[in-house]
Tab-separated table of all heavy atoms in Angstrom:
chain	number	residue	atom	x	y	z
A	3	PRO	N	118.959	58.143	-89.195
A	3	PRO	CA	118.912	57.189	-88.020
A	3	PRO	C	120.093	56.249	-88.048
A	3	PRO	O	120.637	55.798	-89.166
A	3	PRO	CB	117.632	56.362	-88.329
A	3	PRO	CG	116.795	57.246	-89.147
A	3	PRO	CD	117.719	58.015	-89.937
A	4	LEU	N	120.590	55.836	-86.869
A	4	LEU	CA	121.853	55.077	-86.880
A	4	LEU	C	121.430	53.445	-86.883
A	4	LEU	O	122.228	52.674	-87.067
A	4	LEU	CB	122.534	55.332	-85.490
A	4	LEU	CG	123.525	56.464	-85.525
A	4	LEU	CD1	124.168	56.738	-84.137
A	4	LEU	CD2	124.439	56.408	-86.625
A	5	ALA	N	120.197	53.211	-86.540
A	5	ALA	CA	119.802	51.741	-86.434
A	5	ALA	C	119.873	51.043	-87.845
A	5	ALA	O	119.348	51.509	-88.787
A	5	ALA	CB	118.285	51.736	-85.970
A	6	PRO	N	120.683	49.961	-87.842
A	6	PRO	CA	120.716	49.311	-89.145
A	6	PRO	C	119.444	48.680	-89.453
A	6	PRO	O	119.191	48.358	-90.798
A	6	PRO	CB	121.687	48.085	-88.730
A	6	PRO	CG	122.383	48.567	-87.537
A	6	PRO	CD	121.525	49.480	-86.872
A	7	SER	N	118.412	48.513	-88.626
A	7	SER	CA	117.159	47.971	-88.996
A	7	SER	C	116.345	49.090	-89.825
A	7	SER	O	115.454	48.728	-90.556
A	7	SER	CB	116.251	47.781	-87.747
A	7	SER	OG	116.129	48.861	-86.925
A	8	MET	N	116.804	50.346	-89.761
A	8	MET	CA	116.202	51.396	-90.576
A	8	MET	C	117.038	51.685	-91.868
A	8	MET	O	116.425	51.903	-92.808
A	8	MET	CB	116.088	52.652	-89.648
A	8	MET	CG	115.202	52.548	-88.487
A	8	MET	SD	113.511	52.142	-88.842
A	8	MET	CE	112.930	53.544	-89.681
A	9	ILE	N	118.341	51.662	-91.600
A	9	ILE	CA	119.107	51.976	-92.806
A	9	ILE	C	120.210	50.835	-92.798
A	9	ILE	O	121.181	50.901	-91.991
A	9	ILE	CB	119.821	53.374	-92.697
A	9	ILE	CG1	118.748	54.471	-92.645
A	9	ILE	CG2	120.872	53.491	-93.801
A	9	ILE	CD1	119.300	55.823	-92.502
A	10	PRO	N	119.944	49.738	-93.601
A	10	PRO	CA	120.805	48.620	-93.564
A	10	PRO	C	122.364	48.955	-93.850
A	10	PRO	O	123.244	48.149	-93.405
A	10	PRO	CB	120.286	47.618	-94.626
A	10	PRO	CG	118.933	48.167	-94.780
A	10	PRO	CD	118.977	49.582	-94.464
A	11	GLU	N	122.684	50.135	-94.418
A	11	GLU	CA	124.073	50.429	-94.731
A	11	GLU	C	124.758	50.945	-93.527
A	11	GLU	O	126.051	51.032	-93.516
A	11	GLU	CB	124.219	51.539	-95.864
A	11	GLU	CG	123.628	50.994	-97.185
A	11	GLU	CD	122.139	51.022	-97.325
A	11	GLU	OE1	121.470	51.773	-96.649
A	11	GLU	OE2	121.623	50.259	-98.124
A	12	ARG	N	124.055	51.282	-92.472
A	12	ARG	CA	124.698	51.637	-91.240
A	12	ARG	C	125.598	50.655	-90.699
A	12	ARG	O	125.327	49.407	-90.781
A	12	ARG	CB	123.711	52.029	-90.284
A	12	ARG	CG	122.940	53.329	-90.447
A	12	ARG	CD	123.894	54.548	-90.481
A	12	ARG	NE	123.250	55.704	-90.207
A	12	ARG	CZ	123.706	56.859	-90.178
A	12	ARG	NH1	125.058	56.974	-90.445
A	12	ARG	NH2	123.094	57.965	-89.925
A	13	LEU	N	126.673	50.995	-90.160
A	13	LEU	CA	127.736	50.011	-89.636
A	13	LEU	C	128.367	49.068	-90.720
A	13	LEU	O	128.737	48.001	-90.314
A	13	LEU	CB	127.110	49.254	-88.406
A	13	LEU	CG	126.535	49.932	-87.332
A	13	LEU	CD1	125.972	49.061	-86.307
A	13	LEU	CD2	127.418	51.001	-86.726
A	14	SER	N	128.285	49.585	-91.898
A	14	SER	CA	128.756	48.602	-93.056
A	14	SER	C	130.117	49.140	-93.545
A	14	SER	O	130.732	48.376	-94.441
A	14	SER	CB	127.835	48.483	-94.163
A	14	SER	OG	127.605	49.754	-94.744
A	15	LYS	N	130.691	50.284	-93.018
A	15	LYS	CA	131.936	50.846	-93.522
A	15	LYS	C	132.898	51.015	-92.379
A	15	LYS	O	132.526	51.870	-91.498
A	15	LYS	CB	131.684	52.088	-94.287
A	15	LYS	CG	131.004	51.867	-95.556
A	15	LYS	CD	130.795	53.215	-96.303
A	15	LYS	CE	130.011	52.908	-97.568
A	15	LYS	NZ	129.305	54.146	-98.139
A	16	ARG	N	133.916	50.192	-92.269
A	16	ARG	CA	134.847	50.256	-91.178
A	16	ARG	C	135.431	51.710	-90.833
A	16	ARG	O	135.424	52.285	-89.755
A	16	ARG	CB	135.946	49.303	-91.411
A	16	ARG	CG	137.029	49.279	-90.368
A	16	ARG	CD	138.155	48.514	-90.796
A	16	ARG	NE	139.113	48.348	-89.756
A	16	ARG	CZ	139.157	47.337	-88.925
A	16	ARG	NH1	138.246	46.254	-89.013
A	16	ARG	NH2	140.038	47.250	-87.886
A	17	ARG	N	135.716	52.432	-91.991
A	17	ARG	CA	136.351	53.614	-91.804
A	17	ARG	C	135.322	54.675	-91.222
A	17	ARG	O	135.718	55.432	-90.387
A	17	ARG	CB	136.714	54.238	-93.197
A	17	ARG	CG	137.309	55.444	-93.284
A	17	ARG	CD	137.809	55.858	-94.643
A	17	ARG	NE	138.250	57.191	-94.662
A	17	ARG	CZ	138.543	57.885	-95.806
A	17	ARG	NH1	138.507	57.278	-96.895
A	17	ARG	NH2	138.855	59.200	-95.743
A	18	ASP	N	134.134	54.558	-91.658
A	18	ASP	CA	133.087	55.435	-91.057
A	18	ASP	C	132.875	55.146	-89.536
A	18	ASP	O	132.750	56.091	-88.720
A	18	ASP	CB	131.773	55.319	-91.801
A	18	ASP	CG	131.806	56.000	-93.169
A	18	ASP	OD1	132.762	56.636	-93.463
A	18	ASP	OD2	130.913	55.610	-93.891
A	19	ILE	N	132.858	53.902	-89.091
A	19	ILE	CA	132.584	53.518	-87.801
A	19	ILE	C	133.754	54.046	-86.998
A	19	ILE	O	133.531	54.737	-85.877
A	19	ILE	CB	132.489	52.065	-87.606
A	19	ILE	CG1	131.224	51.493	-88.355
A	19	ILE	CG2	132.503	51.601	-86.169
A	19	ILE	CD1	131.222	49.959	-88.414
A	20	GLU	N	134.969	53.796	-87.397
A	20	GLU	CA	136.086	54.308	-86.585
A	20	GLU	C	136.178	55.816	-86.504
A	20	GLU	O	136.452	56.428	-85.373
A	20	GLU	CB	137.378	53.722	-87.205
A	20	GLU	CG	137.480	52.209	-87.030
A	20	GLU	CD	138.751	51.630	-87.711
A	20	GLU	OE1	139.173	52.096	-88.778
A	20	GLU	OE2	139.169	50.526	-87.215
A	21	LYS	N	135.945	56.497	-87.647
A	21	LYS	CA	135.917	57.932	-87.594
A	21	LYS	C	134.963	58.410	-86.721
A	21	LYS	O	135.251	59.353	-85.870
A	21	LYS	CB	135.684	58.489	-89.055
A	21	LYS	CG	135.519	60.023	-89.098
A	21	LYS	CD	135.328	60.467	-90.535
A	21	LYS	CE	133.833	60.568	-90.840
A	21	LYS	NZ	133.446	61.102	-92.147
A	22	TRP	N	133.641	58.021	-86.793
A	22	TRP	CA	132.660	58.588	-85.938
A	22	TRP	C	132.704	58.171	-84.566
A	22	TRP	O	132.326	59.023	-83.578
A	22	TRP	CB	131.214	58.265	-86.469
A	22	TRP	CG	130.958	59.068	-87.740
A	22	TRP	CD1	130.923	58.425	-89.035
A	22	TRP	CD2	130.918	60.395	-87.821
A	22	TRP	NE1	130.751	59.600	-89.901
A	22	TRP	CE2	130.731	60.711	-89.279
A	22	TRP	CE3	130.853	61.447	-86.917
A	22	TRP	CZ2	130.572	61.972	-89.671
A	22	TRP	CZ3	130.698	62.716	-87.388
A	22	TRP	CH2	130.626	62.928	-88.787
A	23	LEU	N	133.252	56.966	-84.102
A	23	LEU	CA	133.491	56.741	-82.731
A	23	LEU	C	134.547	57.516	-82.215
A	23	LEU	O	134.476	58.103	-81.022
A	23	LEU	CB	133.968	55.204	-82.691
A	23	LEU	CG	132.804	54.160	-82.587
A	23	LEU	CD1	133.363	52.717	-82.635
A	23	LEU	CD2	131.885	54.410	-81.391
A	24	LEU	N	135.559	57.785	-82.913
A	24	LEU	CA	136.715	58.747	-82.431
A	24	LEU	C	136.177	60.189	-82.238
A	24	LEU	O	136.191	60.786	-81.118
A	24	LEU	CB	137.712	58.789	-83.337
A	24	LEU	CG	139.027	59.636	-83.062
A	24	LEU	CD1	139.615	59.346	-81.799
A	24	LEU	CD2	139.920	59.823	-84.248
A	25	ARG	N	135.425	60.673	-83.243
A	25	ARG	CA	134.960	62.074	-83.234
A	25	ARG	C	133.813	62.252	-82.197
A	25	ARG	O	133.902	63.131	-81.385
A	25	ARG	CB	134.476	62.580	-84.594
A	25	ARG	CG	133.949	63.941	-84.684
A	25	ARG	CD	133.552	64.293	-86.040
A	25	ARG	NE	134.677	64.224	-87.034
A	25	ARG	CZ	134.499	64.421	-88.233
A	25	ARG	NH1	133.392	64.619	-88.736
A	25	ARG	NH2	135.671	64.434	-89.069
A	26	ASN	N	132.924	61.251	-82.277
A	26	ASN	CA	131.797	61.388	-81.197
A	26	ASN	C	132.089	61.174	-79.739
A	26	ASN	O	131.684	61.816	-78.811
A	26	ASN	CB	130.550	60.570	-81.611
A	26	ASN	CG	129.961	61.119	-82.913
A	26	ASN	OD1	130.099	62.421	-83.221
A	26	ASN	ND2	129.297	60.329	-83.685
A	27	CYS	N	133.083	60.237	-79.487
A	27	CYS	CA	133.509	59.946	-78.095
A	27	CYS	C	134.221	61.250	-77.587
A	27	CYS	O	133.989	61.710	-76.500
A	27	CYS	CB	134.532	58.700	-78.144
A	27	CYS	SG	133.608	57.259	-78.203
A	28	LYS	N	135.034	61.791	-78.462
A	28	LYS	CA	135.834	63.038	-78.066
A	28	LYS	C	134.872	64.137	-77.693
A	28	LYS	O	135.046	64.799	-76.690
A	28	LYS	CB	136.874	63.575	-79.018
A	28	LYS	CG	138.141	62.632	-79.045
A	28	LYS	CD	139.058	63.212	-80.163
A	28	LYS	CE	140.341	62.473	-79.998
A	28	LYS	NZ	141.357	63.067	-81.044
A	29	TRP	N	133.783	64.305	-78.575
A	29	TRP	CA	132.940	65.477	-78.291
A	29	TRP	C	132.011	65.189	-77.010
A	29	TRP	O	131.729	66.040	-76.209
A	29	TRP	CB	131.999	65.582	-79.468
A	29	TRP	CG	131.108	66.811	-79.478
A	29	TRP	CD1	131.455	68.138	-79.748
A	29	TRP	CD2	129.676	66.881	-79.014
A	29	TRP	NE1	130.388	68.923	-79.496
A	29	TRP	CE2	129.389	68.200	-79.140
A	29	TRP	CE3	128.789	65.894	-78.584
A	29	TRP	CZ2	128.008	68.632	-78.637
A	29	TRP	CZ3	127.576	66.301	-78.200
A	29	TRP	CH2	127.133	67.690	-78.288
A	30	THR	N	131.519	63.908	-77.017
A	30	THR	CA	130.632	63.543	-75.966
A	30	THR	C	131.237	63.361	-74.579
A	30	THR	O	130.823	63.771	-73.473
A	30	THR	CB	129.762	62.360	-76.301
A	30	THR	OG1	129.178	62.524	-77.457
A	30	THR	CG2	128.705	61.929	-75.311
A	31	LEU	N	132.324	62.497	-74.495
A	31	LEU	CA	132.980	62.146	-73.252
A	31	LEU	C	134.190	63.048	-72.996
A	31	LEU	O	134.635	63.025	-71.831
A	31	LEU	CB	133.523	60.759	-73.432
A	31	LEU	CG	132.546	59.660	-73.722
A	31	LEU	CD1	133.291	58.195	-73.827
A	31	LEU	CD2	131.453	59.514	-72.672
A	32	GLY	N	134.671	63.785	-73.977
A	32	GLY	CA	135.810	64.719	-73.735
A	32	GLY	C	137.193	63.873	-73.913
A	32	GLY	O	138.161	64.315	-73.570
A	33	ARG	N	136.967	62.675	-74.472
A	33	ARG	CA	138.130	61.783	-74.663
A	33	ARG	C	137.841	60.679	-75.600
A	33	ARG	O	136.687	60.656	-75.956
A	33	ARG	CB	138.604	61.163	-73.218
A	33	ARG	CG	137.573	60.272	-72.568
A	33	ARG	CD	137.921	59.579	-71.376
A	33	ARG	NE	136.756	58.864	-70.749
A	33	ARG	CZ	136.277	57.709	-71.128
A	33	ARG	NH1	136.610	57.126	-72.280
A	33	ARG	NH2	135.211	57.243	-70.481
A	34	GLU	N	138.857	59.877	-75.979
A	34	GLU	CA	138.422	58.853	-76.800
A	34	GLU	C	137.842	57.711	-76.003
A	34	GLU	O	138.030	57.550	-74.660
A	34	GLU	CB	139.784	58.276	-77.464
A	34	GLU	CG	140.419	59.134	-78.469
A	34	GLU	CD	141.596	58.445	-79.196
A	34	GLU	OE1	141.650	57.181	-79.321
A	34	GLU	OE2	142.518	59.178	-79.465
A	35	CYS	N	137.046	56.817	-76.655
A	35	CYS	CA	136.389	55.845	-75.884
A	35	CYS	C	137.326	54.611	-75.810
A	35	CYS	O	138.237	54.485	-76.577
A	35	CYS	CB	135.123	55.113	-76.758
A	35	CYS	SG	133.702	56.251	-76.657
A	36	THR	N	137.134	53.952	-74.682
A	36	THR	CA	137.988	52.755	-74.544
A	36	THR	C	137.601	51.533	-75.418
A	36	THR	O	136.387	51.715	-75.952
A	36	THR	CB	137.870	52.241	-73.030
A	36	THR	OG1	136.601	51.796	-72.786
A	36	THR	CG2	138.289	53.373	-72.012
A	37	ALA	N	138.336	50.576	-75.472
A	37	ALA	CA	137.965	49.350	-76.361
A	37	ALA	C	136.628	48.836	-75.648
A	37	ALA	O	135.836	48.440	-76.625
A	37	ALA	CB	139.082	48.185	-76.321
A	38	GLN	N	136.508	48.819	-74.498
A	38	GLN	CA	135.206	48.271	-73.759
A	38	GLN	C	134.160	49.068	-74.194
A	38	GLN	O	133.033	48.579	-74.592
A	38	GLN	CB	135.395	48.282	-72.325
A	38	GLN	CG	134.115	47.714	-71.642
A	38	GLN	CD	133.958	46.226	-71.747
A	38	GLN	OE1	134.993	45.545	-71.760
A	38	GLN	NE2	132.815	45.772	-72.151
A	39	GLU	N	134.253	50.450	-74.160
A	39	GLU	CA	133.116	51.384	-74.478
A	39	GLU	C	132.655	51.218	-75.986
A	39	GLU	O	131.543	51.101	-76.303
A	39	GLU	CB	133.444	52.850	-74.254
A	39	GLU	CG	133.581	53.190	-72.717
A	39	GLU	CD	134.213	54.354	-72.264
A	39	GLU	OE1	135.089	54.823	-73.122
A	39	GLU	OE2	133.890	54.985	-71.194
A	40	LYS	N	133.767	51.206	-76.866
A	40	LYS	CA	133.455	50.911	-78.272
A	40	LYS	C	132.725	49.756	-78.491
A	40	LYS	O	131.732	49.715	-79.243
A	40	LYS	CB	134.760	50.969	-79.045
A	40	LYS	CG	135.415	52.382	-79.128
A	40	LYS	CD	136.678	52.204	-79.977
A	40	LYS	CE	137.621	53.327	-79.755
A	40	LYS	NZ	138.857	53.114	-80.508
A	41	GLY	N	133.197	48.676	-77.862
A	41	GLY	CA	132.517	47.328	-77.985
A	41	GLY	C	131.084	47.409	-77.538
A	41	GLY	O	130.169	46.759	-78.183
A	42	ASP	N	130.830	47.855	-76.408
A	42	ASP	CA	129.416	48.050	-75.840
A	42	ASP	C	128.594	48.842	-76.854
A	42	ASP	O	127.343	48.446	-77.066
A	42	ASP	CB	129.484	48.562	-74.454
A	42	ASP	CG	130.084	47.673	-73.372
A	42	ASP	OD1	130.091	46.401	-73.616
A	42	ASP	OD2	130.543	48.090	-72.393
A	43	LEU	N	129.112	49.955	-77.285
A	43	LEU	CA	128.283	50.897	-78.031
A	43	LEU	C	127.996	50.171	-79.362
A	43	LEU	O	126.788	50.259	-79.865
A	43	LEU	CB	129.009	52.137	-78.331
A	43	LEU	CG	128.976	53.198	-77.185
A	43	LEU	CD1	129.927	54.352	-77.498
A	43	LEU	CD2	127.567	53.724	-77.087
A	44	LEU	N	128.952	49.527	-79.992
A	44	LEU	CA	128.762	48.816	-81.250
A	44	LEU	C	127.772	47.718	-81.162
A	44	LEU	O	126.875	47.421	-82.020
A	44	LEU	CB	130.018	48.363	-81.960
A	44	LEU	CG	130.839	49.326	-82.763
A	44	LEU	CD1	131.989	48.604	-83.409
A	44	LEU	CD2	129.885	49.778	-83.851
A	45	SER	N	127.841	46.961	-79.983
A	45	SER	CA	126.921	45.783	-79.707
A	45	SER	C	125.438	46.456	-79.607
A	45	SER	O	124.503	45.779	-80.117
A	45	SER	CB	127.276	45.121	-78.368
A	45	SER	OG	128.649	44.529	-78.570
A	46	PHE	N	125.347	47.509	-78.880
A	46	PHE	CA	124.130	48.077	-78.740
A	46	PHE	C	123.481	48.557	-80.103
A	46	PHE	O	122.291	48.282	-80.579
A	46	PHE	CB	124.171	49.334	-77.720
A	46	PHE	CG	122.997	50.308	-77.860
A	46	PHE	CD1	121.733	49.873	-77.380
A	46	PHE	CD2	123.081	51.596	-78.416
A	46	PHE	CE1	120.611	50.739	-77.414
A	46	PHE	CE2	122.122	52.463	-78.444
A	46	PHE	CZ	120.769	51.942	-77.984
A	47	LEU	N	124.296	49.225	-80.910
A	47	LEU	CA	123.825	49.780	-82.179
A	47	LEU	C	123.573	48.631	-83.202
A	47	LEU	O	122.518	48.721	-83.925
A	47	LEU	CB	124.922	50.705	-82.821
A	47	LEU	CG	125.054	51.999	-82.052
A	47	LEU	CD1	126.309	52.783	-82.661
A	47	LEU	CD2	123.862	52.837	-82.154
A	48	LYS	N	124.339	47.665	-83.129
A	48	LYS	CA	124.190	46.393	-84.054
A	48	LYS	C	122.735	45.875	-83.793
A	48	LYS	O	122.126	45.323	-84.667
A	48	LYS	CB	125.221	45.421	-83.819
A	48	LYS	CG	125.144	44.283	-84.760
A	48	LYS	CD	126.231	43.252	-84.401
A	48	LYS	CE	126.140	41.940	-85.138
A	48	LYS	NZ	127.203	41.003	-84.747
A	49	ALA	N	122.276	45.884	-82.469
A	49	ALA	CA	121.034	45.156	-82.066
A	49	ALA	C	119.864	46.059	-82.504
A	49	ALA	O	118.743	45.651	-82.400
A	49	ALA	CB	121.097	44.972	-80.588
A	50	GLN	N	120.152	47.288	-82.998
A	50	GLN	CA	118.905	48.304	-83.089
A	50	GLN	C	118.367	47.903	-84.413
A	50	GLN	O	118.327	48.162	-85.526
A	50	GLN	CB	119.445	49.714	-83.156
A	50	GLN	CG	120.044	50.122	-81.775
A	50	GLN	CD	119.042	49.916	-80.635
A	50	GLN	OE1	118.064	50.382	-80.565
A	50	GLN	NE2	119.527	48.989	-79.724
């Protein structure tokens, strides 16, 4: 699970966050996410 409420270590390593945003945005969107998209996604995930 990605929710920090389930696994507190989620979103605690900058390198992992940046790697997975890059990889998953490219796979899902077919491109890198914009700064806006990354911020919105991180805000959403942080609230989980």
Side-chain angles (χ1 to χ4, degrees):
L4 281 177
S7 63
M8 298 299 293
I9 301 178
E11 295 79 25
R12 286 298 201 184
L13 307 180
S14 65
K15 294 180 183 158
R16 178 188 186 96
R17 181 176 168 189
D18 289 346
I19 294 169
E20 291 175 331
K21 175 180 92 173
W22 289 111
L23 279 173
L24 177 65
R25 186 177 292 175
N26 290 339
C27 286
K28 284 183 174 181
W29 188 82
T30 305
L31 304 176
R33 60 174 172 77
E34 290 186 34
C35 284
T36 65
Q38 183 69 48
E39 290 166 332
K40 290 178 195 177
D42 289 335
L43 283 168
L44 274 183
S45 295
F46 165 69
L47 290 171
K48 180 180 174 182
Q50 300 303 300

